[in-house]
Amino acid sequence: MKQLLFVFIGGGFGSVLRFIIGKWLNNTENGIPYGTFFANILGSFLIGIILGYAAKNDTLSQNSTLLLATGFCGGFTTFSTFAYENHVFLKSGDFTSFAFYTIASFAVGFLAVFTGMYLVKFI
């Protein structure tokens, strides 16, 4: 039960921060979801740092990892929103935005995870 509480608390903070970033960065004029993209990339980078640090130093407890990686990063990143936004691009026939957003999200997301894990080596 304690582990569920850590995931719940972390997820709540991550979700609220994602909501704020989406309100601030998503472009309502042209529909480009910069906020979702930013949240997914930042979340990927953070989970790389968190899990890289945990693996390197073996200092993060299981509860800390649940709070930060599973909870916060899980609540902060948003695959369901990403999938919906791509649905909107496809439905409107905007195949260029669909392709760019999808490829950039995957490529930059993976790069962010690897960069976070690499940077932990210097901490």
Side-chain angles (χ1 to χ4, degrees):
M1 189 65 162
K2 183 179 175 182
Q3 293 175 329
L4 291 175
L5 184 61
F6 282 113
V7 173
F8 176 76
I9 291 169
F13 280 111
S15 295
V16 168
L17 185 57
R18 180 186 72 232
F19 175 78
I20 292 168
I21 289 172
K23 285 290 191 190
W24 183 48
L25 292 178
N26 282 349
N27 189 325
T28 56
E29 289 179 21
N30 63 17
I32 297 177
Y34 294 115
T36 304
F37 180 77
F38 179 76
N40 285 338
I41 300 311
L42 180 59
S44 297
F45 179 70
L46 290 174
I47 205 167
I49 289 175
I50 293 162
L51 296 179
Y53 185 78
K56 176 186 174 196
N57 296 322
D58 199 31
T59 55
L60 284 180
S61 68
Q62 181 183 14
N63 288 338
S64 295
T65 303
L66 286 171
L67 175 77
L68 298 171
T70 306
F72 180 81
C73 290
F76 185 63
T77 59
T78 130
F79 187 78
S80 57
T81 303
F82 167 77
Y84 173 75
E85 289 162 346
N86 275 309
H87 164 77
V88 171
F89 284 139
L90 289 174
K91 189 175 179 181
S92 69
D94 190 354
F95 300 109
T96 302
S97 292
F98 166 76
F100 178 75
Y101 184 51
T102 299
I103 292 168
S105 292
F106 281 111
V108 180
F110 284 124
L111 182 63
V113 168
F114 296 137
T115 301
M117 294 187 86
Y118 175 77
L119 290 176
V120 166
K121 293 179 182 182
F122 302 106
I123 296 175

